[in-house]
Amino acid sequence: MKNIQDIRQDFPILHQEIQGKPLIYFDNAATSQKPRSVIDSLNTYYTGMNANVHRGIHTLAERSTQAFEDTRELVRHFLNAQSIEEVIYTKGTTESLNLVASSYGQIAVNEGDEVIISTMEHHSNIVPWQLLCERKKAILKVIPINDKGELLFEEFEKLISERTKIVSVVHVSNTLGTINPVKKIIDTAHQFGAITVIDGAQATPHVEIDVQDLNADFYAFSGHKVYGPTGIGILYGKKKLLEQMPPYMGGGEMIKEVTFEKTTYNDLPYKFEAGTPNIGDAVALKNAIEFVLEIGRENIANHEQELLEYATQKLQEIPNLRIIGEANHKASVVSFVVDGVHSMDIGMMLDANGIAVRTGNHCTMPLMARFGIEGTVRASFAIYNTTEEIDRFVSELQRIIQVM
Ligand code: PLP
């Protein structure tokens, strides 16, 4: 693996001062920064090959279609999906989850049926299921968690039954960092005939994903959290389920033939890709995935685990600071609260020193309610972060707490 200083050189944005101090970017769970290859790819696409995909017979259209489909093939490999028919482009995790809730929910969920999610879900994996349950008069059930922020598996086993049609859980919690035992959850769901949806937004940058080994029915992620552009994401779905599902949106691309009497739909994956897609960002997603594959997800995870352990240990030494999320199995996210100091104030004062963290409820309001807090300060680390940055962050934090 390249050393971290060399990797940092690939990220132009990191080399700047914010408020007169060198930038420390610890908001990677919200979105990661982009390597030069991704930025260059966007430039190359728009300066050399921009054209609409799948429709043209001219050279630019062929080039852009090829590049667009090359990314799909790499995503297939990245997730170990069986075929490209199972890889659907979306705007991101949110759209992927809404697509499943709306389309699969339409055919599989009826009055009195049940959908199970967990307490640590992002709003993107709560609200689509609430909308579905409201529409279908179905029941939404929630797996509780313990004080460390781990799912209570035995409670899940009590909740699930033949009435459960869908189990949708987050692979890695964006607020707590908890890595959930999704394979075990998927196995249990299947024993009851339920299908599984995995929100992989936070897992994909650090965890090796093999959808066939997991046996996940659906898996969603966002390009921008995995060093790629915003506005592009993926829904993986098992072909046999996608084939049964009605289209999510209607329009160009997703049709075979249209008459005023009847429309027939395009083959997979295009049936779910109505309208002109986000071609430029899809093309650049390939460079992002290549970046991750080149370093290796295991190397990324190892480096981030070191940062996580280092930061956790340092933060634990600060009096009146409480870490929220102490699961045994965690990704590189540390959320915390400090007695008597509002998380927003900490975030603002860190920013005044060039340090970017996230504060607030992190789109997990029910999780905040579970811990009886309004929000946390969250530092989340990526491959380009260093222990020296953590030292500066912790010392600024100590100073802020003293001042406050
Ligand atoms: N799920 C989790 C766990 C997330 O962390 C996020 C984003 O923060 C999402 C879903 C939504 O992702 P996006 O906003 O890219 O659609």
Side-chain angles (χ1 to χ4, degrees), residues 29-31 91-97 120-125 170-175 199-203 220-225 231-233 362-364 378:
T31 196
K91 284 202 301 244
T93 309
T94 303
E95 191 180 38
S96 300
L97 295 169
M120 67 176 87
E121 298 311 318
H122 188 281
H123 297 159
S124 294
N125 200 28
V170 72
H171 196 162
V172 172
S173 159
N174 61 312
T175 303
D199 170 354
Q202 297 293 339
F221 78 92
S222 299
H224 70 97
K225 296 199 197 272
I232 188 76
H362 317 295
C363 294
T364 53
R378 181 186 72 185

Side-chain angles (χ1 to χ4, degrees), residues 6 26 55 59 95 103 136 147 153 155 169 172 176 194 215 250 281 329 351 367:
D6 288 342
F26 282 171
R55 298 169 202 178
T59 306
E95 191 180 38
S103 172
K136 293 296 194 109
D147 290 340
F153 196 81
E155 295 299 318
V169 289
V172 172
L176 307 170
N215 203 8
D281 292 319
H329 204 194
D351 179 60
L367 180 61

Side-chain angles (χ1 to χ4, degrees), residues 154-229:
E154 57 290 359
E155 295 299 318
F156 169 54
E157 290 179 306
K158 284 185 208 156
L159 286 180
I160 194 160
S161 73
E162 267 74 28
R163 286 188 301 278
T164 311
K165 297 294 175 248
I166 300 172
V167 177
S168 187
V169 289
V170 72
H171 196 162
V172 172
S173 159
N174 61 312
T175 303
L176 307 170
T178 309
I179 303 178
N180 284 318
V182 285
K183 193 168 159 69
K184 209 165 124 190
I185 293 171
I186 291 167
D187 283 349
T188 306
H190 286 166
Q191 282 163 28
F192 288 85
I195 68 99
T196 49
V197 185
I198 307 298
D199 170 354
Q202 297 293 339
T204 334
H206 334 270
V207 181
E208 196 108 11
I209 313 292
D210 181 335
V211 287
Q212 292 189 64
D213 177 57
L214 287 176
N215 203 8
D217 297 291
F218 296 97
Y219 198 97
F221 78 92
S222 299
H224 70 97
K225 296 199 197 272
V226 63
Y227 307 101

Side-chain angles (χ1 to χ4, degrees), residues 269-321:
Y270 312 109
K271 181 170 100 176
F272 293 103
E273 293 179 1
T276 299
N278 185 353
I279 309 164
D281 292 319
V283 170
L285 178 62
K286 177 158 176 276
N287 301 79
I289 293 175
E290 281 168 352
F291 169 81
V292 170
L293 291 175
E294 205 175 295
I295 298 176
R297 278 167 284 186
E298 207 181 324
N299 290 331
I300 294 177
N302 289 342
H303 173 69
E304 291 173 352
Q305 277 302 314
E306 272 173 36
L307 297 177
L308 176 68
E309 277 163 34
Y310 188 75
T312 304
Q313 198 192 337
K314 294 237 154 191
L315 290 172
Q316 275 166 342
E317 287 165 11
I318 300 179
N320 303 326
L321 183 149

